[in-house]
Amino acid sequence: MPSSIENITSVLNAKRFGDRKAQIDWILTDSRSLCFPEETLFFALKTKRSDGHKYLSELYERGVRNFVVSELPENMDAYADTNFLQLANPLKGLQKLAEKHRGQFQIPVIGVTGSNGKTVVKEWLYQLLSPDRAITRSPRSYNSQIGVPLSVWLMNEETELAIFEAGISEMGEMEALQNIIKPSVGILTNIGGAHQENFFSVQEKCMEKLTLFKDCDVIIYDGDNELISNCISKSLFTSREIAWSKKDNERPLFIESVRKAEEHTTIKYRYLGMPNEYTIPFIDDASIENSLHCLAAALYMMVPSEQIAERMAHLEQIAMRLEVKEGKNGCVLINDSYNSDLASLDIALDFMSRRSDDKGKKRTLILSDMLETGQSSKLLYRQVAELVHSRGVDKIIGVGDEIRSASGRFEVEKYFFRTTEELLESNLLAGLRNEIILIKGSRSFHFDEVSERLELKVHETILEINLNALVDNLNFYRSKLKPETKMVCMVKASAYGAGSYEIAKTLQDHRVDYLAVAVADEGSDLRKAGITSSIIIMNPELTAFKTMFDYKLEPEVYSFHLLNELIKAAEKEGVTNLPIHIKLDTGMHRLGFAPSDIPQLVERLKRQTAVIPRSVFSHLVGSDAEQFDTFTRRQIEVFEQASEELQEAFSHKILRHICNTAGIERYPGAQFDMVRLGIGLYGIDPFTNKMLHNVSTLKTTILQIREVPKEETVGYSRKGRLDRDSRIAALPIGYADGLNRHLGNGHAYCLVNGQKAPYVGNICMDVCMIDVTDIDCKEGDKAIIFGDDLPVTALSAILETIPYEILTSVSNRVKRVYYQD
């Protein structure tokens, strides 16, 4: 519901500068997501790594005229006809505004928290309850201190029920979210190890999450979970409890039986003594548990049991991801077809707009009718058209009677079809070339067939890259830094095999200070793809100076020969003040200036203007091993002395950095001005060799299963001799894809349907064989080479190597698929 700037000023008790009249519809905290500037109020939030005040001038140029700030800009005269609302803490102001907005609604509000399953439960509740009510829910996983107020702001006069997620990562956070959400129904999905590093114990984390439910009318949870039950007892809630149970038939919701079939599960239950059952089209335990939470909520909301059963049977898989895939004819596909509503469309278009500067690709949207939104068709498609225009979409392909009838609202290249079949039968999809295509549709339109038609199919083997996990790892290491410490992120070797562009784009979006690659060609490729962040070239070649000048790449310099050649080339090209990064050798003895070279280095740098030292750094030899701690401390001392000597010779600030991933964690006193994050970014703790948040999953598909008798052999050179009658499956992955031959002959295994399947015989160039005798599987099933449940560190241990080698060995012919939750 729009609110006047006067009302907002009063709610925030802010000091107002400016008298512009304004009605606020949109709240913005991320400058990259601007959509409707005239109706937007931007909150300039300060975090450990960013400051929204930096983006005031950019947003002003783009049309924003209303800002909440903690500090007024120095050049106030440059902001004509603008409102500045000044607060000590804009984040608290954002939360206070959301609290006030929430207070206008006397409707049921469901609050969902827990370690896993929050988004699935929220989306399934939407599927179960939306046929009867107009629902506002959190977009995707907007469950943080910032995301929750942005979600609550979406409530409007049409909202009859709201469903919000709440996530925390440390003590003390949930109280603010409780004040904003004020749920009347609370659902605790489960308690696990996610974000455990900031809690003393799992019990402490559970009690913190339960803070969300202190004023609820009812709390829903797994009554068989002893930890949760004990914590709820300690909380002394006066709320009604629906603690479903598979063991205690005295519970109001007793689960009598859970029967799994090949592709569905039937659940029999008693609620307040009345027997019923329902079937869901899933068989995994997580989906069964999530459905039980939804069952309890639907029963409490007085949905008839027969309607629950009917809707449970048609629950749709929640992909919870924006998949980025390679398409045919030079296209890039962004597949977001698991649901379709205005909020998720805005997020998906924002995602597309941030990735559409790749080689001038057009932006194309394939969009179906939006079903069950609760809005009038006229209003809905007017808003859709506004989003399409504001996000710079070049072409829209609409499917469905409603969007087709609104075709006149879209002032871009446009094509409309009544059905998906009609679109597929046309020749339109075959003619899409060099475009970024967002596929966004309601499930009933079966847009998976559209994605299938457009996707480039090269290989049955893929490397999945979880961009959210990457960001989680980034933030984990950021949490260990002082606020002023800068960060270099390593994206060399194709981002450790993950694919440099999407990784670099994600890191740029999260405002890392520098990216680092090995050679100039890697840097120029990133520039051509639209990466604007500062890029360090770690191994500059004499033949690549022109490339570095042209693409504003900053070379590492480690010798006088390299320095002299670089200065000569820069002077020839008329380049001045090219930033360079001075490498010192403090003990690795690979590359670098000796500390004793500093006086000569200073003298050479002072005699020219072509280059300027931007940073000085060194490499730690053994920061990941305790036995080298004395040597590491000596390296740090040598570096500190030599770098100070270099700095004293120049008036400008020269950044100093020596810590790698292990150094960040083990030597917090050696952060200096900057650190370099490498393998930890990709989910591996180099000190413990344990996984953080897994980023890369290498998976493939069973091509064929055959029965092979005892005493027969499998594969080249008859290495795989069978000692029993066996079922042998062939996988389309081999050593040319990066599957090391030394894993063959039973030395390692992959996972098929969660079970270990040993490699049989020699691994071939393009194919390998596995033993699935004891595994219930069929042709077409997935096999995990490494991933969440089979960490890459397990393979590196078998091969007596390091995880870096495994990750960087995945060949370029393996298709990369990127997603974010």
Side-chain angles (χ1 to χ4, degrees), residues 222-240:
D222 175 3
D224 296 334
N225 187 303
E226 187 174 349
L227 166 67
I228 294 174
S229 296
N230 288 341
C231 288
I232 287 180
S233 295
K234 290 178 185 176
S235 298
L236 302 176
F237 290 129
T238 58
S239 318
R240 175 184 171 187

Side-chain angles (χ1 to χ4, degrees), residues 581-761:
H581 301 266
I582 304 294
K583 175 184 271 187
L584 301 180
D585 179 10
T586 58
M588 180 171 281
H589 304 316
R590 184 174 63 181
L591 295 169
F593 292 97
S596 59
D597 291 332
I598 295 295
Q600 184 184 349
L601 176 60
V602 168
E603 189 272 334
R604 181 66 184 100
L605 290 170
K606 291 277 192 179
R607 284 191 290 110
Q608 55 80 50
T609 59
V611 302
I612 183 170
R614 180 69 183 102
S615 83
V616 56
F617 71 103
S618 188
H619 281 288
L620 294 177
V621 173
S623 58
D624 56 353
E626 290 180 341
Q627 66 264 36
F628 301 129
D629 282 355
T630 300
F631 188 86
T632 300
R633 293 189 188 97
R634 177 59 184 155
Q635 274 196 279
I636 294 169
E637 290 172 7
V638 170
F639 173 73
E640 186 165 20
Q641 294 168 5
S643 61
E644 282 180 358
E645 185 179 353
L646 180 67
Q647 176 65 81
E648 287 171 0
F650 294 90
S651 58
H652 73 276
K653 173 69 174 176
I654 300 176
L655 301 173
R656 299 190 292 168
H657 49 111
I658 193 170
C659 278
N660 52 9
T661 298
I664 294 171
E665 192 154 12
R666 302 195 62 233
Y667 294 95
Q671 290 180 18
F672 294 101
D673 303 300
M674 192 155 66
V675 296
R676 300 187 304 275
L677 180 59
I679 194 67
L681 185 63
Y682 303 94
I684 298 163
D685 183 329
F687 180 58
T688 64
N689 213 37
K690 292 181 179 178
M691 298 300 294
L692 301 172
H693 300 277
N694 179 57
V695 172
S696 299
T697 298
L698 181 59
K699 60 172 60 174
T700 188
T701 307
I702 295 177
L703 291 178
Q704 185 182 42
I705 300 176
R706 63 192 312 150
E707 307 288 338
V708 183
K710 179 181 178 181
E711 300 299 337
E712 288 289 315
T713 61
V714 176
Y716 284 122
S717 304
R718 305 198 71 192
K719 292 285 188 181
R721 186 170 298 278
L722 302 178
D723 58 10
R724 62 173 180 172
D725 294 341
S726 303
R727 295 174 74 230
I728 302 299
L731 306 178
I733 184 172
Y735 58 78
D737 301 292
L739 186 63
N740 195 296
R741 287 186 80 245
H742 294 93
L743 297 174
N745 297 306
H747 291 129
Y749 58 87
C750 63
L751 294 180
V752 174
N753 295 333
Q755 298 184 61
K756 297 179 180 180
Y759 296 109
V760 180

